[in-house]
């Protein structure tokens, strides 16, 4: 069964600090996808990134970067020079590609990030 | 392109009343999902459709919940009768075949049953 663990329930930082959100996953599939979604205070869920299990290259998009390590089953998300607008709940999610879980996204419990001015 | 559109955004209803939530997926998307978000259970998948056909409804909590997708551009999630424990945010999401399982969410329908 697939499982996603976000051990950090809440994180609070001061603006301009770097912050890393942890995500650990469990799956028996060899092919799967990992995702990060952002849920700002307004409530919508915004897709941020998708990685497939065969691509372990780290990715950078502006102030956001993602570190995918299959050896530790982790897919961590770092925000550099955080801003108040980054305050949100961030969800990590996993989607397997075989069996009955195909196409289903399993979400972690989320990490509430508060960036203080 | 327009995203996933949900209505109503907010609904307050009395226990026992019927609630209907509506969703218009992104045009061209083959899959439609209904998720529920609560503090206790987080985000959980209720049901999903492929080409308007329900594929997996194992997440639907009980017979009071039903979902339909009469055509490619419209789906409903109905709760009848509603109970206070149904209070949650209900998200509709859609995806396209061969999109790497990426799903795009609507803004959610915030339901309060009093």
């Amino acid at each position: 069964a697939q499982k996603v663990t976000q051990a950090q329930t809440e994180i609070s930082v001061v603006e301009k600090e770097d912050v890393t959100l942890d995500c650990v996953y469990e799956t028996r599939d060899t092919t799967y996808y990992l995702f990060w979604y952002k849920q700002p205070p307004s409530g919508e869920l915004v897709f941020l990134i998708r990685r497939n299990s065969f691509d372990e290259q780290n990715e950078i998009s502006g102030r956001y970067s993602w570190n995918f390590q299959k050896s530790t089953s982790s897919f961590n998300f770092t925000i550099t020079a955080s801003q108040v607008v980054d305050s949100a709940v961030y969800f990590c999610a996993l989607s397997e590609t075989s069996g009955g879980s195909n196409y289903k996204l399993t979400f972690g419990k989320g990490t509430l990030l508060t960036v203080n001015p | 392109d327009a995203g996933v559109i949900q209505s109503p955004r907010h609904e307050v209803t009395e226990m026992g009343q019927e609630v209907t939530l509506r969703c218009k997926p992104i045009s061209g998307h083959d899959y439609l999902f209904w998720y529920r978000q609560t503090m206790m259970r987080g985000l959980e998948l209720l049901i999903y459709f492929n080409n308007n056909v329900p594929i997996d409804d194992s997440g639907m909590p009980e017979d009071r919940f039903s979902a339909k997708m009469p055509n490619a551009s419209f789906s409903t999630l109905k709760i009848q009768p509603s109970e206070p424990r149904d209070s949650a945010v209900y998200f509709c999401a859609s995806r396209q075949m061969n999109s790497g399982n990426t799903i795009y969410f609507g803004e959610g329908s915030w339901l309060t049953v009093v």
Side-chain angles (χ1 to χ4, degrees):
Chain A
Q2 54 188 1
K3 183 180 178 182
V4 177
T5 301
Q6 295 179 255
Q8 304 150 309
T9 306
E10 294 186 37
I11 300 176
S12 182
V13 300
V14 177
E15 209 169 17
K16 297 184 183 178
E17 283 186 24
D18 298 347
V19 58
T20 295
L21 310 181
D22 298 333
C23 173
V24 175
Y25 63 91
E26 296 177 26
T27 178
R28 295 178 183 173
D29 270 16
T30 55
T31 303
Y32 50 90
Y33 295 95
L34 295 164
F35 303 82
W36 278 95
Y37 285 83
K38 174 182 180 180
Q39 188 173 36
S42 51
E44 70 271 27
L45 277 161
V46 179
F47 165 73
L48 294 178
I49 189 172
R50 179 193 77 236
R51 304 298 284 174
N52 74 54
S53 51
F54 294 110
D55 184 0
E56 286 193 73
Q57 284 191 348
N58 292 332
E59 182 156 339
I60 299 174
S61 176
R63 297 184 296 107
Y64 295 173
S65 62
W66 292 269
N67 184 321
F68 175 29
Q69 293 194 347
K70 287 180 76 170
S71 60
T72 55
S73 297
S74 65
F75 185 43
N76 296 337
F77 174 27
T78 298
I79 302 174
T80 303
S82 59
Q83 300 176 1
V84 173
V85 293
D86 296 327
S87 297
V89 180
Y90 290 87
F91 292 93
C92 181
L94 165 70
S95 179
E96 296 177 335
T97 60
S98 65
S101 297
N102 198 5
Y103 304 125
K104 175 182 174 180
L105 246 62
T106 296
F107 286 86
K109 295 293 186 186
T111 297
L112 172 61
L113 173 65
T114 302
V115 182
N116 299 297
Chain B
D1 287 340
V4 177
I5 299 172
Q6 292 186 245
S7 65
R9 288 296 315 280
H10 299 271
E11 174 135 354
V12 180
T13 190
E14 291 186 348
M15 184 173 64
Q17 296 297 307
E18 177 179 293
V19 173
T20 299
L21 308 178
R22 298 172 179 81
C23 175
K24 176 180 169 56
I26 295 172
S27 177
H29 281 196
D30 313 283
Y31 291 83
L32 183 139
F33 304 82
W34 283 99
Y35 278 83
R36 180 172 67 175
Q37 185 179 33
T38 61
M39 289 295 293
M40 291 295 295
R41 301 173 68 91
L43 277 158
E44 50 183 346
L45 177 66
L46 299 178
I47 185 171
Y48 81 89
F49 297 81
N50 177 213
N51 291 325
N52 314 337
V53 176
I55 303 300
D56 183 355
D57 66 353
S58 59
M60 295 286 262
E62 47 197 276
D63 291 345
R64 296 185 298 106
F65 286 68
S66 62
K68 294 182 180 179
M69 192 167 185
N71 57 63
S73 59
F74 184 66
S75 176
T76 59
L77 177 67
K78 187 173 294 186
I79 309 172
Q80 166 62 23
S82 57
E83 296 182 2
R85 59 194 169 119
D86 301 330
S87 297
V89 183
Y90 292 82
F91 286 100
C92 179
S94 69
R95 60 153 285 198
Q96 201 169 33
M97 176 80 81
N98 300 325
S99 67
N101 289 16
T102 303
I103 66 173
Y104 296 92
F105 286 83
E107 293 183 315
S109 291
W110 299 64
L111 174 65
T112 302
V113 183
V114 297

